[in-house]
Short mmCIF file of all heavy atoms in Angstrom, two decimals:
data_model
loop_
_atom_site.label_atom_id
_atom_site.label_comp_id
_atom_site.label_asym_id
_atom_site.label_seq_id
_atom_site.Cartn_x
_atom_site.Cartn_y
_atom_site.Cartn_z
N MET U 1 74.82 89.09 99.12
CA MET U 1 75.57 90.34 99.23
C MET U 1 76.95 90.13 99.77
O MET U 1 77.91 90.64 99.32
CB MET U 1 74.73 91.26 100.15
CG MET U 1 75.33 92.60 100.44
SD MET U 1 75.17 93.66 98.97
CE MET U 1 75.56 95.23 99.68
N ALA U 2 77.05 89.33 100.84
CA ALA U 2 78.32 89.01 101.42
C ALA U 2 79.27 88.29 100.52
O ALA U 2 80.45 88.51 100.52
CB ALA U 2 78.16 88.21 102.73
N GLN U 3 78.70 87.42 99.64
CA GLN U 3 79.48 86.69 98.71
C GLN U 3 80.04 87.70 97.71
O GLN U 3 81.24 87.50 97.25
CB GLN U 3 78.63 85.66 97.98
CG GLN U 3 78.32 84.45 98.86
CD GLN U 3 77.50 83.44 98.22
OE1 GLN U 3 76.91 83.73 97.18
NE2 GLN U 3 77.48 82.24 98.75
N GLN U 4 79.28 88.66 97.27
CA GLN U 4 79.73 89.60 96.28
C GLN U 4 80.89 90.49 96.82
O GLN U 4 81.85 90.78 96.23
CB GLN U 4 78.61 90.57 95.75
CG GLN U 4 79.00 91.53 94.70
CD GLN U 4 79.49 90.79 93.45
OE1 GLN U 4 78.94 89.81 92.97
NE2 GLN U 4 80.54 91.37 92.89
N ILE U 5 80.77 90.86 98.11
CA ILE U 5 81.81 91.67 98.79
C ILE U 5 83.07 90.80 98.89
O ILE U 5 84.14 91.33 98.58
CB ILE U 5 81.29 92.11 100.19
CG1 ILE U 5 80.20 93.11 100.06
CG2 ILE U 5 82.53 92.68 100.94
CD1 ILE U 5 79.59 93.53 101.38
N ALA U 6 82.95 89.56 99.26
CA ALA U 6 84.11 88.69 99.37
C ALA U 6 84.77 88.53 97.99
O ALA U 6 86.01 88.57 97.84
CB ALA U 6 83.71 87.31 99.84
N LYS U 7 83.95 88.37 96.92
CA LYS U 7 84.48 88.29 95.54
C LYS U 7 85.19 89.54 95.15
O LYS U 7 86.33 89.56 94.63
CB LYS U 7 83.35 87.98 94.57
CG LYS U 7 83.80 87.77 93.17
CD LYS U 7 82.61 87.47 92.21
CE LYS U 7 83.11 87.41 90.80
NZ LYS U 7 81.98 87.25 89.86
N ASP U 8 84.66 90.72 95.46
CA ASP U 8 85.21 92.04 95.14
C ASP U 8 86.54 92.22 95.90
O ASP U 8 87.51 92.67 95.30
CB ASP U 8 84.29 93.18 95.46
CG ASP U 8 83.06 93.19 94.56
OD1 ASP U 8 83.07 92.62 93.53
OD2 ASP U 8 82.09 93.93 94.96
N LEU U 9 86.61 91.78 97.13
CA LEU U 9 87.79 91.90 97.94
C LEU U 9 88.89 90.99 97.35
O LEU U 9 90.07 91.34 97.31
CB LEU U 9 87.56 91.55 99.35
CG LEU U 9 86.84 92.64 100.16
CD1 LEU U 9 86.48 92.07 101.61
CD2 LEU U 9 87.57 93.89 100.31
N ASP U 10 88.53 89.81 96.88
CA ASP U 10 89.52 88.94 96.24
C ASP U 10 90.09 89.56 95.00
O ASP U 10 91.28 89.46 94.79
CB ASP U 10 88.87 87.56 95.93
CG ASP U 10 88.75 86.67 97.17
OD1 ASP U 10 89.46 86.93 98.19
OD2 ASP U 10 87.94 85.76 97.10
N GLU U 11 89.23 90.17 94.23
CA GLU U 11 89.71 90.87 93.00
C GLU U 11 90.68 91.96 93.35
O GLU U 11 91.68 92.18 92.69
CB GLU U 11 88.57 91.36 92.22
CG GLU U 11 87.76 90.24 91.49
CD GLU U 11 88.60 89.49 90.51
OE1 GLU U 11 89.36 90.11 89.74
OE2 GLU U 11 88.48 88.21 90.52
N ILE U 12 90.32 92.76 94.40
CA ILE U 12 91.23 93.85 94.83
C ILE U 12 92.50 93.31 95.33
O ILE U 12 93.57 93.88 95.02
CB ILE U 12 90.47 94.67 95.88
CG1 ILE U 12 89.32 95.46 95.36
CG2 ILE U 12 91.46 95.68 96.57
CD1 ILE U 12 88.39 96.10 96.32
N LYS U 13 92.50 92.24 96.03
CA LYS U 13 93.78 91.59 96.50
C LYS U 13 94.61 91.16 95.32
O LYS U 13 95.84 91.40 95.30
CB LYS U 13 93.45 90.37 97.33
CG LYS U 13 92.98 90.72 98.76
CD LYS U 13 92.73 89.36 99.48
CE LYS U 13 92.08 89.56 100.81
NZ LYS U 13 91.79 88.31 101.50
N LYS U 14 94.04 90.62 94.36
CA LYS U 14 94.76 90.20 93.13
C LYS U 14 95.35 91.42 92.40
O LYS U 14 96.54 91.37 91.93
CB LYS U 14 93.84 89.41 92.18
CG LYS U 14 93.51 88.06 92.67
CD LYS U 14 92.54 87.38 91.65
CE LYS U 14 91.97 86.07 92.23
NZ LYS U 14 90.98 85.51 91.34
N ASP U 15 94.59 92.44 92.25
CA ASP U 15 95.02 93.70 91.56
C ASP U 15 96.19 94.33 92.34
O ASP U 15 97.20 94.71 91.75
CB ASP U 15 93.88 94.69 91.45
CG ASP U 15 92.86 94.24 90.45
OD1 ASP U 15 93.12 93.30 89.65
OD2 ASP U 15 91.74 94.85 90.50
N LEU U 16 96.07 94.36 93.63
CA LEU U 16 97.18 94.92 94.52
C LEU U 16 98.40 94.10 94.40
O LEU U 16 99.57 94.67 94.32
CB LEU U 16 96.64 95.11 95.95
CG LEU U 16 95.74 96.22 96.19
CD1 LEU U 16 95.29 96.19 97.68
CD2 LEU U 16 96.31 97.54 95.92
N ALA U 17 98.31 92.80 94.41
CA ALA U 17 99.43 91.91 94.34
C ALA U 17 100.14 92.13 92.97
O ALA U 17 101.35 92.21 92.84
CB ALA U 17 99.02 90.44 94.46
N PHE U 18 99.33 92.29 91.90
CA PHE U 18 99.88 92.59 90.63
C PHE U 18 100.61 93.86 90.57
O PHE U 18 101.75 93.97 90.01
CB PHE U 18 98.70 92.54 89.58
CG PHE U 18 99.14 92.82 88.17
CD1 PHE U 18 99.87 91.97 87.44
CD2 PHE U 18 98.78 94.06 87.58
CE1 PHE U 18 100.25 92.22 86.09
CE2 PHE U 18 99.19 94.36 86.23
CZ PHE U 18 99.85 93.41 85.55
N ILE U 19 100.03 94.88 91.11
CA ILE U 19 100.67 96.26 91.11
C ILE U 19 101.99 96.15 91.98
O ILE U 19 103.00 96.70 91.57
CB ILE U 19 99.68 97.29 91.69
CG1 ILE U 19 98.53 97.52 90.74
CG2 ILE U 19 100.49 98.60 92.01
CD1 ILE U 19 97.42 98.32 91.29
N LYS U 20 101.92 95.47 93.06
CA LYS U 20 103.11 95.33 93.91
C LYS U 20 104.22 94.59 93.13
O LYS U 20 105.45 95.03 93.26
CB LYS U 20 102.75 94.53 95.16
CG LYS U 20 103.86 94.32 96.08
CD LYS U 20 103.44 93.54 97.34
CE LYS U 20 104.55 93.12 98.19
NZ LYS U 20 104.19 92.28 99.31
N ASP U 21 103.88 93.52 92.42
CA ASP U 21 104.88 92.82 91.61
C ASP U 21 105.57 93.75 90.60
O ASP U 21 106.78 93.69 90.45
CB ASP U 21 104.29 91.59 91.01
CG ASP U 21 103.94 90.45 91.98
OD1 ASP U 21 104.45 90.48 93.10
OD2 ASP U 21 103.11 89.64 91.59
N ILE U 22 104.71 94.53 89.97
CA ILE U 22 105.28 95.46 88.92
C ILE U 22 106.21 96.47 89.62
O ILE U 22 107.25 96.72 89.07
CB ILE U 22 104.10 96.17 88.20
CG1 ILE U 22 103.35 95.17 87.31
CG2 ILE U 22 104.60 97.35 87.37
CD1 ILE U 22 102.07 95.75 86.70
N LEU U 23 105.76 97.06 90.65
CA LEU U 23 106.62 98.04 91.36
C LEU U 23 107.96 97.42 91.85
O LEU U 23 108.99 98.10 91.73
CB LEU U 23 105.81 98.71 92.51
CG LEU U 23 104.67 99.57 92.06
CD1 LEU U 23 103.88 100.06 93.28
CD2 LEU U 23 105.20 100.75 91.18
N LEU U 24 107.82 96.23 92.41
CA LEU U 24 109.04 95.57 92.89
C LEU U 24 110.04 95.26 91.78
O LEU U 24 111.25 95.46 91.87
CB LEU U 24 108.75 94.33 93.70
CG LEU U 24 108.06 94.58 95.07
CD1 LEU U 24 107.67 93.25 95.68
CD2 LEU U 24 109.02 95.29 96.01
N LEU U 25 109.51 94.81 90.68
CA LEU U 25 110.39 94.49 89.48
C LEU U 25 111.03 95.79 88.96
O LEU U 25 112.19 95.75 88.61
CB LEU U 25 109.54 93.83 88.41
CG LEU U 25 109.21 92.33 88.63
CD1 LEU U 25 108.26 91.82 87.55
CD2 LEU U 25 110.47 91.48 88.68
N LYS U 26 110.19 96.85 88.89
CA LYS U 26 110.74 98.08 88.38
C LYS U 26 111.88 98.62 89.29
O LYS U 26 112.92 99.08 88.84
CB LYS U 26 109.64 99.10 88.30
CG LYS U 26 110.08 100.45 87.70
CD LYS U 26 108.83 101.38 87.44
CE LYS U 26 109.27 102.62 86.93
NZ LYS U 26 110.08 102.73 85.74
N ARG U 27 111.68 98.54 90.61
CA ARG U 27 112.64 99.06 91.54
C ARG U 27 113.95 98.26 91.45
O ARG U 27 115.02 98.82 91.55
CB ARG U 27 112.13 98.99 92.98
CG ARG U 27 113.05 99.58 93.98
CD ARG U 27 112.44 99.64 95.35
NE ARG U 27 112.14 98.34 95.84
CZ ARG U 27 111.38 98.06 96.88
NH1 ARG U 27 110.86 99.04 97.58
NH2 ARG U 27 111.13 96.83 97.31
N GLU U 28 113.88 96.91 91.22
CA GLU U 28 115.01 96.07 91.16
C GLU U 28 115.81 96.32 89.89
O GLU U 28 116.98 96.15 89.86
CB GLU U 28 114.64 94.63 91.35
CG GLU U 28 114.14 94.29 92.68
CD GLU U 28 113.58 92.87 92.80
OE1 GLU U 28 113.57 92.16 91.79
OE2 GLU U 28 113.14 92.48 93.89
N SER U 29 115.11 96.60 88.83
CA SER U 29 115.79 96.67 87.51
C SER U 29 115.96 98.07 87.04
O SER U 29 116.40 98.26 85.85
CB SER U 29 114.92 95.91 86.51
OG SER U 29 113.67 96.43 86.30
N ASP U 30 115.68 99.12 87.73
CA ASP U 30 115.68 100.52 87.20
C ASP U 30 116.57 101.36 88.06
O ASP U 30 116.58 101.26 89.27
CB ASP U 30 114.22 100.97 87.28
CG ASP U 30 113.96 102.14 86.37
OD1 ASP U 30 115.00 102.59 85.71
OD2 ASP U 30 112.80 102.59 86.18
N ASP U 31 117.33 102.19 87.35
CA ASP U 31 118.22 103.10 88.04
C ASP U 31 117.62 104.55 88.09
O ASP U 31 118.32 105.55 88.14
CB ASP U 31 119.51 103.19 87.32
CG ASP U 31 120.32 101.85 87.49
OD1 ASP U 31 120.04 101.14 88.43
OD2 ASP U 31 121.14 101.60 86.55
N GLU U 32 116.30 104.66 88.01
CA GLU U 32 115.73 105.99 88.01
C GLU U 32 115.97 106.78 89.26
O GLU U 32 115.80 108.04 89.25
CB GLU U 32 114.17 105.90 87.84
CG GLU U 32 113.76 105.70 86.40
CD GLU U 32 112.30 105.85 86.27
OE1 GLU U 32 111.71 106.85 86.71
OE2 GLU U 32 111.69 104.92 85.66
N GLY U 33 116.37 106.21 90.38
CA GLY U 33 116.61 106.97 91.54
C GLY U 33 117.84 107.89 91.50
O GLY U 33 117.96 108.77 92.26
N GLU U 34 118.73 107.67 90.51
CA GLU U 34 119.95 108.48 90.38
C GLU U 34 119.73 109.60 89.36
O GLU U 34 119.27 109.34 88.25
CB GLU U 34 121.06 107.57 89.92
CG GLU U 34 122.20 107.25 90.73
CD GLU U 34 122.51 108.09 91.96
OE1 GLU U 34 123.23 109.14 91.79
OE2 GLU U 34 122.14 107.75 93.07
N LEU U 35 120.13 110.78 89.70
CA LEU U 35 120.12 111.83 88.75
C LEU U 35 121.31 111.70 87.80
O LEU U 35 122.42 111.32 88.16
CB LEU U 35 120.20 113.22 89.39
CG LEU U 35 118.96 113.60 90.26
CD1 LEU U 35 119.23 114.94 91.02
CD2 LEU U 35 117.73 113.70 89.42
N SER U 36 121.12 112.16 86.56
CA SER U 36 122.28 112.20 85.64
C SER U 36 123.18 113.29 85.97
O SER U 36 122.80 114.26 86.74
CB SER U 36 121.76 112.42 84.20
OG SER U 36 121.16 113.68 84.04
N ASP U 37 124.37 113.32 85.50
CA ASP U 37 125.33 114.43 85.74
C ASP U 37 124.76 115.75 85.30
O ASP U 37 124.87 116.79 85.99
CB ASP U 37 126.63 114.18 85.08
CG ASP U 37 127.43 113.02 85.70
OD1 ASP U 37 127.12 112.67 86.86
OD2 ASP U 37 128.30 112.39 85.03
N TRP U 38 124.08 115.76 84.16
CA TRP U 38 123.51 116.93 83.65
C TRP U 38 122.38 117.49 84.63
O TRP U 38 122.40 118.67 84.94
CB TRP U 38 122.81 116.76 82.31
CG TRP U 38 122.02 117.95 81.81
CD1 TRP U 38 122.53 119.00 81.16
CD2 TRP U 38 120.60 118.11 81.99
NE1 TRP U 38 121.48 119.79 80.89
CE2 TRP U 38 120.27 119.33 81.38
CE3 TRP U 38 119.61 117.38 82.57
CZ2 TRP U 38 119.06 119.90 81.41
CZ3 TRP U 38 118.33 117.90 82.60
CH2 TRP U 38 118.01 119.17 81.95
N ALA U 39 121.57 116.59 85.16
CA ALA U 39 120.48 116.98 86.07
C ALA U 39 121.11 117.49 87.34
O ALA U 39 120.58 118.46 87.93
CB ALA U 39 119.58 115.84 86.30
N LYS U 40 122.19 116.88 87.86
CA LYS U 40 122.80 117.33 89.07
C LYS U 40 123.40 118.74 88.88
O LYS U 40 123.22 119.54 89.77
CB LYS U 40 123.98 116.36 89.44
CG LYS U 40 123.46 115.05 89.95
CD LYS U 40 124.67 114.13 90.28
CE LYS U 40 124.17 112.72 90.69
NZ LYS U 40 125.29 111.82 90.88
N LYS U 41 123.97 118.99 87.70
CA LYS U 41 124.56 120.35 87.45
C LYS U 41 123.43 121.40 87.41
O LYS U 41 123.54 122.43 88.00
CB LYS U 41 125.35 120.32 86.10
CG LYS U 41 125.91 121.58 85.73
CD LYS U 41 126.63 121.53 84.40
CE LYS U 41 127.11 122.81 84.00
NZ LYS U 41 126.66 123.22 82.64
N GLU U 42 122.37 121.03 86.68
CA GLU U 42 121.22 122.01 86.58
C GLU U 42 120.64 122.29 87.96
O GLU U 42 120.28 123.40 88.26
CB GLU U 42 120.17 121.42 85.56
CG GLU U 42 120.58 121.39 84.17
CD GLU U 42 120.82 122.81 83.57
OE1 GLU U 42 119.96 123.67 83.86
OE2 GLU U 42 121.82 122.98 82.91
N LEU U 43 120.45 121.22 88.70
CA LEU U 43 119.92 121.39 90.06
C LEU U 43 120.80 122.28 90.94
O LEU U 43 120.35 123.17 91.68
CB LEU U 43 119.66 120.03 90.74
CG LEU U 43 119.15 120.02 92.12
CD1 LEU U 43 117.72 120.63 92.11
CD2 LEU U 43 118.97 118.58 92.63
N SER U 44 122.10 122.02 90.86
CA SER U 44 123.01 122.87 91.58
C SER U 44 122.96 124.33 91.24
O SER U 44 122.90 125.24 92.06
CB SER U 44 124.50 122.34 91.34
OG SER U 44 125.38 123.12 92.04
N GLU U 45 122.92 124.58 89.91
CA GLU U 45 122.83 125.97 89.41
C GLU U 45 121.46 126.63 89.80
O GLU U 45 121.42 127.79 90.17
CB GLU U 45 122.95 125.94 87.90
CG GLU U 45 124.37 125.71 87.49
CD GLU U 45 124.57 125.61 85.93
OE1 GLU U 45 123.67 126.08 85.23
OE2 GLU U 45 125.58 125.16 85.48
N ALA U 46 120.40 125.84 89.76
CA ALA U 46 119.14 126.38 90.10
C ALA U 46 119.07 126.77 91.64
O ALA U 46 118.43 127.77 92.00
CB ALA U 46 118.01 125.39 89.84
N ARG U 47 119.72 126.02 92.41
CA ARG U 47 119.76 126.26 93.86
C ARG U 47 120.54 127.54 94.21
O ARG U 47 120.35 128.13 95.25
CB ARG U 47 120.33 125.11 94.62
CG ARG U 47 119.37 123.92 94.68
CD ARG U 47 119.94 122.76 95.45
NE ARG U 47 118.88 121.72 95.64
CZ ARG U 47 119.20 120.50 95.92
NH1 ARG U 47 120.48 120.01 96.05
NH2 ARG U 47 118.17 119.60 96.10
N LYS U 48 121.49 127.91 93.28
CA LYS U 48 122.29 129.09 93.52
C LYS U 48 121.57 130.43 93.14
O LYS U 48 122.02 131.50 93.51
CB LYS U 48 123.63 128.96 92.75
CG LYS U 48 124.55 127.87 93.19
CD LYS U 48 125.70 127.84 92.29
CE LYS U 48 126.60 126.64 92.67
NZ LYS U 48 127.74 126.49 91.74
N ARG U 49 120.54 130.29 92.42
CA ARG U 49 119.79 131.50 91.93
C ARG U 49 119.29 132.30 93.10
O ARG U 49 118.81 131.76 94.11
CB ARG U 49 118.70 131.11 91.00
CG ARG U 49 119.19 130.55 89.68
CD ARG U 49 118.11 130.12 88.81
NE ARG U 49 117.11 131.09 88.67
CZ ARG U 49 115.93 130.98 87.98
NH1 ARG U 49 115.74 129.79 87.39
NH2 ARG U 49 115.11 131.94 87.86
N SER U 50 119.30 133.61 92.96
CA SER U 50 118.87 134.49 94.02
C SER U 50 117.36 134.47 94.23
O SER U 50 116.92 134.87 95.32
CB SER U 50 119.35 135.90 93.75
OG SER U 50 118.77 136.39 92.58
N ASP U 51 116.64 134.08 93.25
CA ASP U 51 115.14 134.13 93.34
C ASP U 51 114.57 132.82 93.83
O ASP U 51 113.42 132.56 93.69
CB ASP U 51 114.51 134.52 92.00
CG ASP U 51 114.83 133.57 90.85
OD1 ASP U 51 115.84 132.79 90.95
OD2 ASP U 51 114.17 133.63 89.83
N TYR U 52 115.43 132.00 94.48
CA TYR U 52 115.01 130.72 94.99
C TYR U 52 114.00 130.94 96.07
O TYR U 52 114.14 131.82 96.99
CB TYR U 52 116.26 130.00 95.56
CG TYR U 52 115.85 128.69 96.33
CD1 TYR U 52 115.58 127.58 95.67
CD2 TYR U 52 115.92 128.71 97.73
CE1 TYR U 52 115.23 126.41 96.36
CE2 TYR U 52 115.59 127.56 98.46
CZ TYR U 52 115.27 126.42 97.72
OH TYR U 52 114.95 125.27 98.46
N VAL U 53 112.87 130.15 96.06
CA VAL U 53 111.85 130.28 97.12
C VAL U 53 111.75 128.93 97.82
O VAL U 53 111.70 127.89 97.23
CB VAL U 53 110.52 130.60 96.40
CG1 VAL U 53 109.40 130.67 97.50
CG2 VAL U 53 110.58 131.89 95.67
N SER U 54 111.87 128.95 99.14
CA SER U 54 111.85 127.73 99.89
C SER U 54 110.47 127.08 99.85
O SER U 54 109.48 127.72 99.54
CB SER U 54 112.17 128.02 101.35
OG SER U 54 111.12 128.68 101.98
N GLN U 55 110.46 125.81 100.11
CA GLN U 55 109.18 125.03 100.10
C GLN U 55 108.24 125.61 101.17
O GLN U 55 107.04 125.64 100.94
CB GLN U 55 109.45 123.55 100.39
CG GLN U 55 108.22 122.70 100.32
CD GLN U 55 108.50 121.25 100.57
OE1 GLN U 55 109.64 120.86 100.91
NE2 GLN U 55 107.51 120.47 100.38
N GLN U 56 108.82 125.98 102.29
CA GLN U 56 108.00 126.60 103.41
C GLN U 56 107.36 127.85 102.97
O GLN U 56 106.14 128.07 103.27
CB GLN U 56 108.81 126.80 104.64
CG GLN U 56 109.28 125.58 105.35
CD GLN U 56 108.15 124.76 105.93
OE1 GLN U 56 107.08 124.63 105.38
NE2 GLN U 56 108.34 124.21 107.11
N LYS U 57 108.12 128.72 102.27
CA LYS U 57 107.52 129.96 101.78
C LYS U 57 106.42 129.69 100.76
O LYS U 57 105.31 130.34 100.79
CB LYS U 57 108.55 130.86 101.15
CG LYS U 57 108.13 132.20 100.84
CD LYS U 57 109.22 133.15 100.47
CE LYS U 57 108.70 134.53 100.22
NZ LYS U 57 109.75 135.51 99.90
N VAL U 58 106.59 128.74 99.85
CA VAL U 58 105.59 128.34 98.87
C VAL U 58 104.28 127.86 99.63
O VAL U 58 103.20 128.23 99.18
CB VAL U 58 106.11 127.33 97.87
CG1 VAL U 58 104.99 126.83 97.06
CG2 VAL U 58 107.23 127.89 97.07
N LYS U 59 104.48 127.06 100.63
CA LYS U 59 103.33 126.58 101.36
C LYS U 59 102.54 127.76 101.99
O LYS U 59 101.33 127.77 101.99
CB LYS U 59 103.76 125.60 102.53
CG LYS U 59 104.14 124.21 102.02
CD LYS U 59 104.52 123.37 103.19
CE LYS U 59 104.91 121.98 102.73
NZ LYS U 59 105.26 121.15 103.98
N LYS U 60 103.31 128.74 102.58
CA LYS U 60 102.66 129.84 103.17
C LYS U 60 101.91 130.69 102.16
O LYS U 60 100.78 131.13 102.40
CB LYS U 60 103.70 130.76 103.85
CG LYS U 60 104.24 130.14 105.19
CD LYS U 60 105.23 131.04 105.78
CE LYS U 60 105.82 130.35 107.08
NZ LYS U 60 106.84 131.24 107.71
N ILE U 61 102.52 130.81 100.96
CA ILE U 61 101.82 131.58 99.85
C ILE U 61 100.55 130.86 99.45
O ILE U 61 99.50 131.45 99.29
CB ILE U 61 102.80 131.75 98.68
CG1 ILE U 61 103.98 132.72 99.06
CG2 ILE U 61 102.04 132.31 97.46
CD1 ILE U 61 105.09 132.64 98.03
N ILE U 62 100.67 129.55 99.19
CA ILE U 62 99.49 128.81 98.69
C ILE U 62 98.39 128.66 99.76
O ILE U 62 97.27 128.85 99.46
CB ILE U 62 99.95 127.41 98.24
CG1 ILE U 62 100.90 127.57 96.96
CG2 ILE U 62 98.78 126.54 97.95
CD1 ILE U 62 101.49 126.28 96.53
N LEU U 63 98.86 128.34 100.94
CA LEU U 63 97.86 128.14 102.04
C LEU U 63 97.41 129.44 102.72
O LEU U 63 96.47 129.38 103.49
CB LEU U 63 98.44 127.14 103.06
CG LEU U 63 98.74 125.72 102.51
CD1 LEU U 63 99.40 124.94 103.56
CD2 LEU U 63 97.52 125.03 101.97
N GLY U 64 98.13 130.53 102.42
CA GLY U 64 97.76 131.75 103.02
C GLY U 64 98.01 131.81 104.58
O GLY U 64 97.30 132.55 105.30
N LYS U 65 98.98 131.08 105.03
CA LYS U 65 99.27 131.00 106.44
C LYS U 65 100.56 131.70 106.75
O LYS U 65 101.49 131.72 106.07
CB LYS U 65 99.31 129.56 106.95
CG LYS U 65 97.97 128.85 106.87
CD LYS U 65 98.08 127.50 107.42
CE LYS U 65 96.76 126.79 107.32
NZ LYS U 65 96.76 125.40 107.75
#
């Protein structure tokens, strides 16, 4: 039983290391963190709308608090 748990943990470690490597490579080679000019414009316009609802208000509506 203990050997199987150790084996399972080793597999999980390998999987996590693999996932970590993928995420680190993606972060280093990807510019997804920056919005395009079009997206920035749309976001700015959306924020100006009068029917804007804050995140806090949405939480209150959803959670009923």
Side-chain angles (χ1 to χ4, degrees):
M1 179 76 166
Q3 287 179 343
Q4 184 61 41
I5 292 172
K7 182 179 175 187
D8 291 345
L9 286 174
D10 284 340
E11 288 299 316
I12 290 170
K13 285 180 188 178
K14 288 177 188 175
D15 291 344
L16 287 175
F18 177 71
I19 292 168
K20 181 180 172 185
D21 289 343
I22 290 172
L23 292 174
L24 288 174
L25 285 174
K26 182 170 179 56
R27 184 173 62 194
E28 291 171 359
S29 65
D30 202 353
D31 293 334
E32 276 190 54
E34 250 337 278
L35 291 176
S36 67
D37 290 338
W38 173 85
K40 289 177 186 177
K41 180 181 174 234
E42 291 293 316
L43 181 59
S44 176
E45 290 176 13
R47 287 180 172 160
K48 292 177 186 175
R49 292 178 48 185
S50 63
D51 59 344
Y52 173 77
V53 178
S54 71
Q55 183 180 6
Q56 291 293 41
K57 188 170 183 178
V58 171
K59 283 182 181 180
K60 287 179 183 179
I61 292 169
I62 292 173
L63 300 174
K65 295 181 180 179

